[in-house]
Amino acid sequence: MDNHFEDQYKKENPGSALKVNRGVEGGHEGSPGSASRVTRKKTKPKFSTQQYVDGILACDRTMLGRAITLIESNAQAHQEQAQEVLKDILPKSGNSIRVGITGVPGAGKSTFIESLGVKLIDKGHQVAVMAVDPSSSVTRGSILGDKTRMERLSRDPRAFIRPSPSGGALGGVARKTRETMLLFEAAGYDVLLVETVGVGQSEVTVRSMVDFFLLVLIAGAGDELQGIKKGVIELADSILINKADGDNIQPAKLARAEYERALHYLQPATKGWRTGVYTASSTTEEGIEELWDVIKSYQSLTMENGVFQARRREQSKEWLHAMVQEQLRTMFYRHKEIASALPEIEKGVMDGTIPVTQGAWELLNRFQK
Ligand code: GDP
């Protein structure tokens, strides 16, 4: 383990709940990467926990937005109050379908979410849209950052679009999104859409926080199966071949058949459910309604056979362990004894004078003392 990892970890996890930074303003209110601009002043919560809770339960959009900001803050005082708020609203959470949506940039995820979202609102649903984009601190919100991409939806008071929390490692971004989902549910949002880009580890993370996972693809690249990792297909509960309009209808149908064949050889992502491939156009809206029907059948089937509830329970347990691991790691690398011994042990390991296992034991012994 080199220092780079440690530095990176510290940088990316400035607000770990176990870090003693009480009284330090992490600063948030929509200022990306503000955790690095630490100012030494007391953080005094602006609203009482009860005010946040009442606001959320009354679906007061302003208070809901503020509560999300509280969750996203890296200041310890904010994190502590956020946990109190969460504890109070927890009994009112859970009543939703959580849908994850992944696909390469340009596949049409935003357009799809807008077209589906508007339809759902017309049906009387309340729709919350979130994103998990750990790169957004660098790219300043590459997804959902530009709200004009969901113009109709962002104007509608029955929808709430929240861009990805910025300035953090995937673990931190995922925690914030998971907790934000609970707030939305307590406020009465019954369809939660979580978008993520189809690169790297973020699909696996989003899969672990949603009930239904949709992979959005486009046809016509000629290498239908090559651009997409097999692992991502295995996570999907449905595959949508988007942009099935105009000249693209035929290639989309071909792609559909090809993916259907490929799926024959894979385990379904959800027990008892057959992952299907569908075509749609997010611009003409052809096929969008049908895809919603698929999601609804999935929900009734998995609720009936108990898979839905079992997965959510399992997800909570996994999340607990992930948080413990993350925080233990932070504590370990912040430990004074470790920090002072690490360079020498690293050198010994690199020079071949200390066996790696012994080096690790040495560090862990110091940590336990
Ligand atoms: P994202 O990066 O996956 O969110 O993709 P966007 O939703 O931003 O879409 C990328 C581009 O594809 C935009 O220019 C959209 O207008 C276009 N697009 C999205 N869905 C469709 C579709 O169903 N048909 C066609 N023809 N274009 C689409």
Side-chain angles (χ1 to χ4, degrees), residues 128-176:
V129 184
M130 284 152 280
V132 169
D133 181 11
S135 67
S136 63
S137 55
V138 184
T139 58
R140 301 225 166 240
S142 60
I143 55 176
L144 287 181
D146 180 6
K147 279 198 192 167
T148 54
R149 291 163 80 199
M150 293 185 204
E151 210 183 327
R152 282 184 296 161
L153 207 54
S154 60
R155 273 202 312 259
D156 198 303
R158 292 162 297 176
F160 201 122
I161 300 179
R162 186 74 179 189
S164 180
S166 55
L170 182 55
V173 172
R175 175 191 62 81
K176 292 167 184 180

Side-chain angles (χ1 to χ4, degrees), residues 32 67 80 103-104 110 123 139 181 194 200 216 255 260 265 287 300 308 332 360 363:
E80 282 170 1
V104 292
S110 302
K123 288 177 192 291
T139 58
M181 293 203 294
V194 186
V216 179
E260 284 278 10
Y265 303 100
S300 22
F308 187 96
F332 181 82
L363 288 168

Side-chain angles (χ1 to χ4, degrees), residues 287-349:
I288 302 293
E289 190 84 38
E290 286 78 359
L291 192 79
W292 177 243
D293 289 340
V294 171
I295 297 176
K296 276 197 310 189
S297 343
Y298 173 92
Q299 190 180 16
S300 22
L301 178 110
T302 54
M303 280 187 146
E304 229 161 81
N305 66 14
V307 167
F308 187 96
Q309 299 84 340
R311 173 179 264 148
R312 281 200 177 179
R313 286 168 58 85
E314 198 56 35
Q315 286 176 339
S316 296
K317 191 176 88 178
E318 279 169 19
W319 181 20
L320 172 78
H321 287 282
M323 290 224 36
V324 168
Q325 282 167 22
E326 187 183 310
Q327 298 200 2
L328 267 179
R329 203 157 53 161
T330 309
M331 283 166 78
F332 181 82
Y333 286 106
R334 287 212 178 106
H335 197 281
K336 264 204 196 119
E337 289 278 312
I338 303 296
S340 67
L342 196 59
E344 204 174 312
I345 294 181
E346 275 177 353
K347 187 171 183 306
V349 166

